[in-house]
Amino acid sequence: MPSPLAIQSATGPFREGVDVFGDAERNQPTRVEVRFTMCLSFADLLGLLAFTPSLVLEYEELDDDEAVRDAVRIAMAMRELATRDAERTAQDALAAYHGTLHGHDVPPVAYMRRVGLAITRVFGVTA
């Protein structure tokens, strides 16, 4: 079972005309930059990348380190990590990675393995 997430935050300068990820977008309200440091396990990362609704990386994107980092950043913004649901998602993702979780909405093992390889390459953690 993963240990509780250690979360640190820091605030940066005010930003104008950017969306929530800092990308330029007109007519956006003024935002303050907030940076978080979180300690994520392989299973946490796998759950974020494979089980975040409306976030599906194509096989080609899994070869792009920046696309993988961006997907984790987007998934973290979309999901609440400090919950039992996040822990369950991480466990389910690891089970799918090992081929022991089945269902119509479970990604194929081959895809889970590709996501796992991308996580190991980009973040240096393994199952």
Side-chain angles (χ1 to χ4, degrees):
M1 180 175 306
S3 60
L5 299 174
I7 300 174
Q8 299 175 349
S9 65
T11 56
F14 287 104
R15 310 269 309 265
E16 293 185 35
V18 296
D19 65 13
V20 294
F21 298 110
D23 297 322
E25 191 169 319
R26 298 182 71 177
N27 301 321
Q28 289 293 315
T30 301
R31 301 180 189 274
V32 63
E33 186 175 299
V34 178
R35 286 174 251 126
F36 285 93
T37 300
M38 303 178 83
C39 300
L40 301 173
S41 69
F42 178 87
D44 294 326
L45 291 164
L46 193 64
L48 282 169
L49 291 173
F51 288 108
T52 297
S54 74
L55 176 72
V56 177
L57 287 171
E58 300 295 329
Y59 279 92
E60 302 81 37
E61 292 174 304
L62 291 170
D63 293 330
D64 181 347
D65 292 3
E66 195 57 37
V68 173
R69 283 188 200 94
D70 282 344
V72 168
R73 183 174 58 129
I74 291 166
M76 286 173 48
M78 293 173 63
R79 302 190 86 189
E80 176 59 54
L81 289 174
T83 66
R84 287 194 189 277
D85 184 49
E87 186 175 308
R88 176 64 186 197
T89 298
Q91 291 171 351
D92 286 350
L94 206 51
Y97 175 82
H98 290 295
T100 58
L101 181 70
H102 306 286
H104 68 357
D105 59 344
V106 176
V109 173
Y111 180 78
M112 297 301 289
R113 294 293 172 94
R114 278 294 294 275
V115 174
L117 287 171
I119 289 168
T120 299
R121 185 187 71 250
V122 174
F123 298 104
V125 294
T126 63

